[in-house]
Amino acid sequence: LVPVTLLDFTIVPAGDRVRLAWRVGGEEDVLGFHVDRRQGDADWIRVTASLIAGTFSGRYEFEDTSDDIGAGGTFEYRLVVYSRTGDTDTFGPFAVSVTPSVKPHLSQNYPNPTQLPTAITVHLDRAGLATVTIYDARGARIRTILDGNLAEGTTVLTWDGRDDEGVPAPSGTYYYRLDSGTVRTSRKLVLAR
């Protein structure tokens, strides 16, 4: 274990992002921190691209601006500390509730990679027309899973891995896109049969 003490920790939802700040004692032994996040029973995912270095006062900060935050919900975070000797330790989990963003949002499908069916969450700030379409890696349309009016708020859609003709799509990389009003956003999913 890393000989470091977590002295204080704050986690604050801020619209479509979450801010984390913490202070440690024994920081002379700390190389840096990674931050992991999960929602519900999902696996932990690393949300930091590189180690977070602190200040000389032992303070660290991180702002999670991942697209998944915009859909809202309860998220858990944990801090993974790395020592200069190569040891690791974990602090947390720390939970925070986030209200949905005020802009349309398309969440990462779950699970991903998927063995089907997979859930795709769409959040609209107001009711309106929306289309959610699946495309293959070449950009060819495979399936339209929603084309019509969608209520304000959060809607969970599912894709069964079939194209518009009912034929199972092969394993591989796919993209799904939300078109709603002036918003067009897309995400990648991996189908593993």
Side-chain angles (χ1 to χ4, degrees):
L1 298 178
V2 179
V4 62
T5 304
L6 185 64
L7 300 175
D8 62 61
F9 177 84
T10 59
I11 184 167
V12 179
D16 57 356
R17 60 196 64 226
V18 173
R19 293 186 182 118
L20 293 81
W22 62 99
R23 187 169 57 96
V24 298
E27 67 270 10
E28 62 276 356
D29 295 319
V30 174
L31 184 60
F33 283 85
H34 271 299
V35 178
D36 296 342
R37 184 191 72 226
R38 73 177 175 188
Q39 188 173 23
D41 294 332
D43 293 333
W44 289 101
I45 59 169
R46 175 108 337 131
V47 292
T48 46
S50 59
L51 280 175
I52 300 170
T55 63
F56 289 111
S57 62
R59 294 197 173 278
Y60 296 80
E61 294 181 351
F62 175 71
E63 188 170 86
D64 187 1
T65 58
S66 304
D67 288 339
D68 294 337
I69 302 299
T74 299
F75 298 90
E76 289 184 315
Y77 288 85
R78 68 181 180 189
L79 307 174
V80 182
V81 59
Y82 289 79
S83 76
R84 297 187 186 284
T85 60
D87 295 321
T88 63
D89 203 355
T90 303
F91 297 106
F94 307 98
V96 63
S97 292
V98 179
T99 57
S101 174
V102 295
K103 60 186 179 184
H105 176 77
L106 181 65
S107 291
Q108 183 64 54
N109 68 299
Y110 180 79
N112 188 35
T114 184
Q115 294 182 341
L116 301 172
T118 191
I120 297 171
T121 302
V122 177
H123 177 80
L124 294 185
D125 57 335
R126 61 179 170 262
L129 293 174
T131 304
V132 176
T133 311
I134 309 286
Y135 295 88
D136 67 14
R138 297 176 318 228
R141 185 177 62 78
I142 298 296
R143 175 93 178 263
T144 300
I145 58 173
L146 171 72
D147 187 15
N149 286 313
L150 196 60
E152 175 183 343
T154 301
T155 303
V156 179
L157 306 169
T158 58
W159 182 44
D160 61 3
R162 297 179 181 275
D163 66 15
D164 282 333
E165 308 301 319
V167 177
S171 295
T173 300
Y174 293 84
Y175 297 87
Y176 56 100
R177 185 173 77 196
L178 166 67
D179 290 289
S180 178
T182 59
V183 173
R184 174 179 281 179
T185 184
S186 62
R187 291 212 176 230
K188 179 170 72 172
L189 70 82
V190 176
L191 175 57
R193 290 195 181 273

